[in-house]
Amino acid sequence: MSLRALIVTALLLLPVPLIAGEADVQAAQGSIEAQLRAFQADDTERAYSYAAPNIQRIFPTVDVFMGMVERGYAPVRKPARFAFGKVQEMGPGAIVQQVLITGPDGSDYEAVYTLERQPDGVWRITGVSLKASNALST
């Protein structure tokens, strides 16, 4: 095998994030938005319903889940406003979505959501990473 063929073969074997289809992105964003709206409305049961099974196993009741959210994710729990940022498909049925959030204190945050399409076709949230943002509020 020539060096060129070897390099091409190696590159084809590397994991490369794919651009998600528009319908998948909209559906995943819809799950995030619905959960954020449920948090804003204090509809904790509905907010919990958007958590994927892996999250519901770790936090097996709405109260336990909400305790975790309230302790560690105040900007997500009560966002003043939010907007979707970058999105990447990490494989079939897996999306990473950036969400820019202004928290209840007026500070800006970046939340990075991971979502997986469930066997029933619904996108559920498998995790959220939150950090303070240097971006200006709009």
Side-chain angles (χ1 to χ4, degrees):
M1 182 179 273
S2 72
L3 179 58
R4 182 180 178 147
L6 186 61
I7 291 172
V8 169
T9 301
L11 288 174
L12 290 173
L13 296 175
L14 290 174
V16 178
L18 305 172
I19 301 299
E22 189 63 30
D24 283 337
V25 170
Q26 288 179 352
Q29 288 176 346
S31 290
I32 295 168
E33 183 169 359
Q35 185 182 60
L36 291 171
R37 299 281 185 221
F39 283 142
Q40 288 174 321
D42 292 323
D43 187 345
T44 59
E45 298 241 353
R46 189 165 54 103
Y48 183 65
S49 75
Y50 291 98
N54 68 315
I55 299 299
Q56 291 185 0
R57 276 190 294 279
I58 297 167
F59 305 100
T61 68
V62 172
D63 290 339
V64 172
F65 175 76
M66 290 307 298
M68 174 273 300
V69 172
E70 289 170 358
R71 281 188 306 280
Y73 297 87
V76 171
R77 172 66 174 99
K78 288 288 186 179
R81 61 185 166 271
F82 60 90
F84 294 108
K86 298 175 188 173
V87 64
Q88 273 190 319
E89 184 176 23
M90 301 309 290
I95 286 180
V96 175
Q97 174 68 61
Q98 175 191 47
V99 182
L100 307 172
I101 296 174
T102 301
D105 63 354
S107 296
D108 292 322
Y109 298 87
E110 176 188 10
V112 178
Y113 282 75
T114 57
L115 300 97
E116 288 181 353
R117 186 177 35 241
Q118 302 303 301
D120 64 0
V122 176
W123 287 90
R124 294 289 181 241
I125 299 163
T126 58
V128 179
S129 173
L130 183 68
K131 69 177 186 174
S133 174
N134 294 328
L136 298 174
S137 294
T138 56

